[in-house]
Amino acid sequence: IYADESVWETFSPDERSAVYERYMAFSREAREAGVMVGGDELEASADATTVRIRDGQLAVTDGPYAEAKEALGGYYLLDCASLDEALDWAARIPAAEHGAVEVRAVHVDPEEG
């Protein structure tokens, strides 16, 4: 779930509460449908810490990995039978209306399969 974090800061407490209720409703619906495996809201990207190894040296920096208008704000892990089903669920996530919801399959190692 990607969105412009600065937009969230413009919301009134009532607007934030309404958005959170929509996320809770989505979570309940996904759980009841048996597709929700997990998910979490993430803290602001300004509170991130980034770890890099360059030339064998550890570099730890405060802040997000990249400068971007939209930041990763949270995720849902859904167990869907097809990409079409996953896209249908993604379209129901409130951030799809003002940000972006990226859909990716979990990588499965064919050797462990």
Side-chain angles (χ1 to χ4, degrees), residues 44-107:
S45 63
D47 297 328
T49 302
T50 301
V51 175
R52 293 178 176 91
I53 302 289
R54 299 293 185 270
D55 298 320
Q57 298 296 312
L58 172 65
V60 178
T61 54
D62 290 336
Y65 169 71
E67 295 296 323
K69 184 176 179 181
E70 294 180 330
L72 179 65
Y75 68 93
Y76 283 99
L77 181 57
L78 305 176
D79 185 8
C80 298
S82 67
L83 177 59
D84 286 339
E85 182 185 8
L87 295 174
D88 179 59
W89 280 104
R92 300 180 202 180
I93 296 172
E97 296 172 12
H98 62 271
V101 177
E102 182 177 73
V103 176
R104 292 196 218 177
V106 173
H107 174 74

Side-chain angles (χ1 to χ4, degrees), residues 7-59:
V7 172
W8 184 251
E9 299 304 318
T10 68
F11 288 2
S12 70
D14 287 344
E15 289 172 317
R16 287 182 187 190
S17 181
V19 172
Y20 275 126
E21 180 49 44
R22 291 184 62 207
Y23 277 102
M24 294 301 109
F26 173 85
S27 297
R28 281 190 302 273
E29 184 180 358
R31 263 193 304 280
E32 289 169 4
V35 299
M36 181 136 161
V37 176
D40 286 295
E41 178 181 2
L42 301 175
E43 292 293 334
S45 63
D47 297 328
T49 302
T50 301
V51 175
R52 293 178 176 91
I53 302 289
R54 299 293 185 270
D55 298 320
Q57 298 296 312
L58 172 65

